[in-house]
Amino acid sequence: MSHTKDTLDTLMKFTARTGFVYQGSEIYGGLANTWDFGPKGVLLKNNIKEAWRNHFVLSRSDMYELDSDIFMNSKVWEASGHTSTFADCMVDDKKSKHRFRADHLIEDQLDIDVEGRSPEEITEIIRSNKLKNPITGEAGDWTEARYMNMMFETNRDKIGNDPSQKIYLRPETAQGIFVQFKSVVQSERAQVPFGIAQIGKAFRNEITPGNFMYRIVEFEQMEIEYFIAPPENDEDWNTIFEQWLELQRSFYIDKMGISEENLVAKDHVTEKLSHYSKRTVDWEYKYPFGTKELSGLAYRTDFDLSQHAQTSGKDLSYQDPQTNQKYIPHVIEPSVGVERLVMAVLLEAYTEEDLGNGDSRILLKLPYDIAPYRVAILPLMKKDGLAEQAESFAQELRVKGISVTYDKSGSIGKRYRRQDEIGTPWCVTVDYQTLEDGTVTLRNRDTMEQVGENGRIAFTELDKYILS
Ligand code: ATP
C-alpha cells in the first residue's frame, strides 16, 4: 500500500494517542526534531533492535559486538574527516531569520542537484532565481551560503594547564568501531573476514524540518563494519557486498514486515560516491513525503583504518595467521537508523480495516516478534475471582519473559479493538469455564477467530500457540 501526505499526520496522531511516540518537551511547546518514545514505543523499538541483533549478529559465527563511548578523543574526528567536511551548506533569510539547507531549498524549488558546488555558486543560484522562503511563501532576502559543521560541540573540563578541551557528541557510531578494531582482533583472536556490530546514539545538528522522526538531532544507529582482506579484483568485494545487501533486504521484508513495493535499492552513481567509497547502495523506503533513504550499505575500502593508523601513529594492520601476510583490512558497512526503521515499520503495519455492516477497526499488523505485547490477558468479568485468576496467569507469563498486557476495563469487544490497534497478536479471555477446567479462549488479531478445539485451549498449552 502506498502512503499519502495525510498518512503521516494520521500516524503522528495515532502514535501519540496510543503511547508509541510523543512530541519531545511538549508541555513547553516542544523542541524541533525531538521525539520521545512512550511505553509501547519502547517495547517496539527494543524488539526491533533485538531482531536486528538476532539477524545480523547472534545467528552468525563471524560477528562481535561493541558498545563504545559517545565521547571520543577529538583526533578521531580529524582522522575520519568529520571536523573538516561533515557540513551542510546553509543559507539564512535576513527578513525572517529562518535558516535552511541550501541544497534542499534549491532541489525543492528548481529540481537541481547542487552536490559538489561551491558556496559562491550556490549563493548565485539562490539569488538569481529569487528563491522563496518556503515558510513565509515570500521571496527571501538571502545571506551568502556557507558550510556549517553538523557535529554538536561541548567542552570537557580538566584539571591542569588546559582546563577546557573541545569535544563532540559523536555523529555516527562507526568510528568507535574503527578505533577498537585492533583491540577486538587481540582480545577475541578474531580472524578476517569478521564484523563488529554496534547499536548506539548518534547526534547531528540537523536544521531541516523533520517529517516526524525521519530527520532528528538525536537518533540511534545500528551499524556493522565487516572487515575483509584487500580484494584482488572487483568481484572479490562485490560478492560479499551483494550478500550483505540481500541480508538487509531479507531483514526488512521478512522480519520487519516491509512490503516489496515500498522498498527500493538505489545504487549511488559514481560521481555522487564519497571519495573513499567504491560502491554505496541505499535501501530507500516510500515514505509519505517521498522515496528516501532508510539505510545504507557502503564499501569503504581501507580508508578509515588507514586514516586512523596515520593520525594516531599506531599500527592498525592485521596479520593473517595462515599466510603471515600483513595488511590493512577493507570494510563493508551496513548502517541503519532505528527511528527511520520504526517509522517504516509503523507505516507498513497501520491499517484501517472495513469489517462490513458499518463496522471498522484500526489494526497494527506488526510481525508477531516485534509487537509491543505478545499477548493480552482479559478477564471476562472483574468479579467472582476471574480478575484474580487472569492476574495470576499474566504474572506466570511475565516471569517466563513473555511480554504481556492485562486489561479488565470495558466490554470484551472494546478490549479486543484496543489490542488490535497496538498490534497484540493474541488475546486470552479468562471466563467462568476457566475456573472449572483451566481452559481459556485464544483470539488471533488478524483472523479475529478463536483457535483450539471448540474455540478453547488449556492455558498450560498457551506457549505452543503464541510462541510459534
Ligand atoms: P541523509 O542523507 O538522510 O542525511 P546520511 O546518508 O547522512 O542520511 P548516514 O551518515 O549514512 O546517513 O547514516 C546512516 C543511517 O543513519 C542512515 O541511513 C539513517 O537511517 C540514519 N540517519 C542519519 N541521519 C539521521 C537523522 N538525522 N535522523 C535519523 N536517522 C538518521
Side-chain angles (χ1 to χ4, degrees):
M1 200 183 57
S2 62
H3 309 300
T4 63
K5 268 265 175 206
D6 293 344
T7 325
L8 193 64
D9 216 40
T10 309
L11 188 76
M12 285 162 75
K13 290 192 184 115
F14 168 78
T15 50
R17 177 172 65 77
T18 48
F20 279 91
V21 183
Y22 309 126
Q23 190 190 349
S25 321
E26 191 177 5
I27 61 165
Y28 289 104
L31 175 69
N33 299 18
T34 65
W35 299 91
D36 295 337
F37 280 87
K40 321 283 192 326
V42 171
L43 292 166
L44 173 66
K45 186 160 92 146
N46 285 341
N47 288 345
I48 288 178
K49 290 196 280 186
E50 211 40 40
W52 183 88
R53 288 181 70 228
N54 283 328
H55 189 83
F56 292 99
V57 183
L58 304 177
S59 61
R60 300 173 59 110
S61 59
D62 56 353
M63 295 295 300
Y64 301 89
E65 287 184 284
L66 185 75
D67 186 357
S68 70
D69 212 297
I70 285 169
F71 291 117
M72 301 176 84
N73 190 307
S74 300
K75 294 216 176 76
V76 169
W77 308 112
E78 278 169 38
S80 66
H82 282 82
T83 319
S84 53
T85 60
F86 192 63
D88 279 340
C89 193
M90 303 292 189
V91 64
D92 294 359
D93 175 9
K94 288 186 243 173
K95 276 192 279 185
S96 65
K97 308 263 184 297
H98 291 143
R99 177 168 292 171
F100 299 96
R101 248 176 84 167
D103 58 339
H104 287 178
L105 207 63
I106 294 171
E107 212 174 293
D108 291 345
Q109 295 183 41
L110 303 175
D111 203 16
I112 304 175
D113 186 350
V114 290
E115 201 161 298
R117 304 266 192 121
S118 69
E120 292 73 27
E121 285 175 284
I122 289 175
T123 307
E124 172 56 24
I125 296 173
I126 291 174
R127 288 184 177 165
S128 63
N129 288 285
K130 299 194 170 47
L131 291 196
K132 281 187 184 152
N133 173 326
I135 298 173
T136 64
E138 291 170 22
D141 181 6
W142 301 111
T143 59
E144 303 271 325
R146 70 239 174 263
Y147 278 94
M148 293 173 78
N149 198 290
M150 287 172 70
M151 286 196 290
F152 282 106
E153 268 178 38
T154 187
N155 293 304
R156 169 90 172 94
D157 290 336
K158 279 199 313 187
I159 301 170
N161 310 336
D162 174 16
S164 184
Q165 187 192 30
K166 196 194 278 182
I167 52 171
Y168 302 95
L169 272 73
R170 69 178 175 202
E172 62 173 38
T173 56
Q175 299 306 322
I177 298 179
F178 292 121
V179 302
Q180 296 296 0
F181 162 76
K182 198 88 189 192
S183 315
V184 174
V185 168
Q186 282 164 353
S187 70
E188 309 308 308
R189 286 177 286 119
Q191 289 191 22
V192 171
F194 74 91
I196 304 179
Q198 160 148 254
I199 300 180
K201 292 270 187 185
F203 304 82
R204 294 183 188 180
N205 200 351
E206 305 265 12
I207 60 146
T208 319
N211 282 327
F212 195 16
M213 294 182 293
Y214 183 78
R215 192 171 292 287
I216 43 185
V217 288
E218 176 189 340
F219 55 100
E220 265 184 295
Q221 289 186 313
M222 302 194 281
E223 296 199 294
I224 291 167
E225 301 303 333
Y226 193 74
F227 299 98
I228 58 173
E232 280 171 17
N233 51 50
D234 284 348
E235 205 191 322
D236 270 4
W237 63 263
N238 211 25
T239 308
I240 305 173
F241 190 96
E242 291 285 341
Q243 285 164 1
W244 281 97
L245 200 58
E246 173 50 29
L247 208 59
Q248 287 181 305
R249 197 196 68 84
S250 67
F251 178 66
Y252 298 137
I253 306 256
D254 303 336
K255 308 282 172 63
M256 297 292 106
I258 291 176
S259 56
E260 305 241 7
E261 60 169 325
N262 285 334
L263 190 68
V264 181
K266 190 171 155 207
D267 242 291
H268 284 220
V269 286
T270 318
E271 310 85 69
K272 285 190 79 180
L273 284 175
S274 334
H275 59 283
Y276 48 79
S277 175
K278 278 214 172 158
R279 186 179 176 200
T280 298
V281 176
D282 289 342
W283 281 110
E284 295 190 335
Y285 181 74
K286 292 184 186 166
Y287 290 100
F289 39 87
T291 304
K292 305 249 183 235
E293 174 174 336
L294 160 68
S295 77
L297 180 67
Y299 168 40
R300 300 171 63 95
T301 64
D302 61 356
F303 173 78
D304 306 271
L305 284 180
S306 300
Q307 284 292 111
H308 287 300
Q310 200 181 4
T311 310
S312 67
K314 297 278 170 1
D315 178 11
L316 297 184
S317 62
Y318 168 85
Q319 185 160 24
D320 187 300
Q322 269 88 45
T323 63
N324 281 336
Q325 192 199 352
K326 230 177 151 188
Y327 56 77
I328 298 264
H330 285 222
V331 78
I332 288 170
E333 177 192 80
S335 171
V336 62
V338 176
E339 292 80 358
R340 285 189 190 179
L341 183 55
V342 169
M343 250 179 103
V345 164
L346 285 170
L347 283 162
E348 284 292 328
Y350 182 86
T351 318
E352 287 172 10
E353 202 176 69
D354 185 353
L355 300 172
N357 300 327
D359 199 8
S360 66
R361 66 171 178 162
I362 293 175
L363 172 65
L364 205 59
K365 267 191 171 161
L366 292 169
Y368 290 7
D369 284 343
I370 59 172
Y373 303 110
R374 189 73 170 202
V375 59
I377 306 286
L378 318 170
L380 186 66
M381 304 281 191
K382 289 179 210 163
K383 54 184 189 185
D384 300 330
L386 293 182
E388 288 76 10
Q389 178 61 72
E391 288 248 32
S392 122
F393 280 163
Q395 188 56 19
E396 218 178 284
L397 297 176
R398 280 185 205 112
V399 297
K400 277 195 202 168
I402 297 171
S403 181
V404 177
T405 179
Y406 173 79
D407 186 2
K408 61 179 180 193
S409 55
S411 70
I412 277 288
K414 276 208 185 101
R415 282 184 268 169
Y416 282 157
R417 293 296 148 83
R418 278 205 285 269
Q419 297 306 322
D420 289 344
E421 70 169 7
I422 60 167
T424 311
W426 301 103
C427 285
V428 164
T429 303
V430 173
D431 55 19
Y432 287 101
Q433 197 177 327
T434 312
L435 301 183
E436 286 166 24
D437 63 8
T439 64
V440 292
T441 67
L442 177 63
R443 172 200 183 256
N444 178 262
R445 176 193 76 189
D446 303 321
T447 62
M448 296 191 285
E449 283 177 3
Q450 286 171 359
V451 299
E453 232 172 276
N454 304 321
R456 300 190 75 85
I457 62 152
F459 182 76
T460 48
E461 304 255 285
L462 185 69
D463 295 13
K464 202 171 75 188
Y465 290 92
I466 68 171
L467 296 182
S468 57

